[in-house]
Amino acid sequence: VMNIRKVLNRLDKPQGLYPNYLNPNSGQWGQHHVSVGGLGDSFYEYLLKAWLMSDKTDEEGKKMYYDALQAIETNLMRKSSNGLTYIAEWKGGLLEHKMGHLTCFAGGMIALGADGAPDDKTGHQMEEAAEIARTCHESYARTALKLGPEAFRFDGGVEAIATRQNEKYFILRPEVIETYMYMWRFTHDPKYRDWGWEAVQALEQHCRVEGGYSGVRDVYASSPNHDDVQQSFYLAETLKYLYLLFSDDDHLPFEHWVFNTEAHPLPVIRKEIKDRPNEVE
């Protein structure tokens, strides 16, 4: 894995961005499609989390993360006419003003990395994280069922709303809740628990069925049309992040645990403290 990362670090990147596809034979980028959502998301958080999990000794991971975040800010992050911050997708230099539900994890990621940000950017990154959390909450609040669509758009006069039928579904995804949990841990602003509780109520009202929980086909419909699937990540992530959102901070504390992209807690690998005085055994 580290060898692959070294190859990626050396490669020329368009505008500092990492396209989703890499040709394993040539070692060159495929089509220049960049997303912080599907296909791209976990890569960025693992740069940051590799550094955190190494007890902040993995300097290569740290630098690659903050450089990538700078490129995302410059090239993908935009503000709508009504002031909603979103992360667009990049296709060969052109922006598609669409944000996926998967991309909503980025609020939590940016908050998690803000403390180590270079050049006094900690406050700036926390503001960005809060703005992304707010936009993702709006994508829920603007639906009939108060559950977020798979993707939502900022074009043609709409903001934070899915305009295509194949983007209106909700399959119990965790990313918005994940960001609420991180934002709560770092700010203790009660709105994040309020927003999480709104999601709990919507899940109970619209997704709970006799055999568990089901996704819904259209979050803008007045009553839910269930897809009859309970995704595995609903238990592994969505409910776990909700549980942590309403737990004390010392329950899986961030100084000891790093969550992988599927919410499995991995321990921070403590570096040996060198040059400490000989201790009496």
Side-chain angles (χ1 to χ4, degrees):
V1 170
M2 298 311 241
N3 284 339
I4 294 167
R5 201 174 79 178
K6 282 180 169 36
V7 170
L8 293 173
N9 196 16
R10 284 197 302 267
L11 271 181
D12 276 341
K13 289 170 270 293
Q15 311 287 336
L17 297 165
Y18 291 83
N20 291 340
Y21 293 101
L22 187 75
N23 185 315
N25 298 315
S26 68
Q28 296 301 311
W29 301 114
Q31 60 190 37
H32 281 191
H33 176 208
V34 177
S35 168
V36 184
L39 301 175
D41 47 3
S42 305
F43 171 70
Y44 301 102
E45 68 180 307
Y46 279 165
L47 295 174
L48 170 65
K49 289 176 177 179
W51 176 59
L52 295 175
M53 212 174 132
S54 73
D55 207 11
K56 301 187 175 177
T57 59
D58 181 353
E59 291 292 331
E60 181 184 66
K62 176 184 181 181
K63 182 175 188 320
M64 288 174 73
Y65 169 72
Y66 289 112
D67 288 353
L69 182 58
Q70 182 61 55
I72 288 165
E73 281 183 29
T74 303
N75 297 289
L76 306 181
M77 224 177 261
R78 294 291 182 266
K79 207 177 258 285
S80 72
S81 52
N82 286 319
L84 291 180
T85 297
Y86 61 98
I87 302 175
E89 299 197 3
W90 193 79
K91 295 189 171 170
L94 297 174
L95 280 187
E96 184 179 15
H97 296 274
K98 171 185 97 168
M99 185 165 174
H101 191 289
L102 287 163
T103 315
C104 284
F105 92 98
M109 175 184 74
I110 293 168
L112 182 63
D115 188 40
D119 309 324
D120 296 328
K121 286 189 178 159
T122 297
H124 166 71
Q125 290 187 8
M126 281 306 296
E127 285 170 24
E128 271 179 352
E131 287 299 315
I132 290 166
R134 181 168 78 97
T135 297
C136 292
H137 175 255
E138 284 298 317
S139 79
Y140 276 54
R142 297 178 185 197
T143 70
L145 303 182
K146 304 304 177 203
L147 295 166
E150 180 69 5
F152 45 94
R153 294 184 179 263
F154 295 85
D155 53 27
V158 305
E159 296 192 1
I161 289 173
T163 55
R164 306 183 184 190
Q165 196 57 43
N166 65 351
E167 294 172 350
K168 293 181 178 180
Y169 61 88
F170 171 74
I171 53 171
L172 309 171
R173 285 201 191 277
E175 289 77 20
V176 174
I177 306 295
E178 177 183 353
T179 281
Y180 294 167
M181 189 276 291
Y182 280 103
M183 293 306 296
W184 164 257
R185 283 272 181 109
F186 289 121
T187 70
H188 291 126
D189 185 327
K191 74 182 176 193
Y192 297 112
R193 281 185 164 176
D194 292 342
W195 292 354
W197 191 245
E198 288 171 15
V200 169
Q201 291 174 301
L203 287 163
E204 288 296 312
Q205 186 177 351
H206 302 304
C207 299
R208 184 148 195 175
V209 292
E210 190 180 351
Y213 290 79
S214 168
V216 296
R217 297 183 201 278
D218 185 349
V219 292
Y220 301 96
S222 53
S223 60
N225 178 6
H226 293 120
D227 64 14
D228 199 27
V229 177
Q230 178 177 290
Q231 304 283 344
S232 61
F233 51 67
Y234 180 63
L235 297 177
E237 296 184 74
T238 312
L239 291 185
K240 186 184 291 177
Y241 284 130
L242 279 167
Y243 183 80
L244 290 169
L245 173 61
F246 295 103
S247 298
D248 292 337
D249 291 3
D250 61 4
H251 197 69
L252 293 173
F254 289 164
E255 60 262 35
H256 296 303
W257 300 97
V258 173
F259 293 96
N260 81 349
T261 199
E262 308 297 341
H264 301 303
L266 300 171
V268 171
I269 301 159
R270 291 281 170 220
K271 59 177 181 252
E272 292 300 314
I273 300 170
K274 295 185 173 59
D275 304 324
R276 63 183 171 194
N278 290 334
E279 291 172 7
V280 178
E281 290 185 4

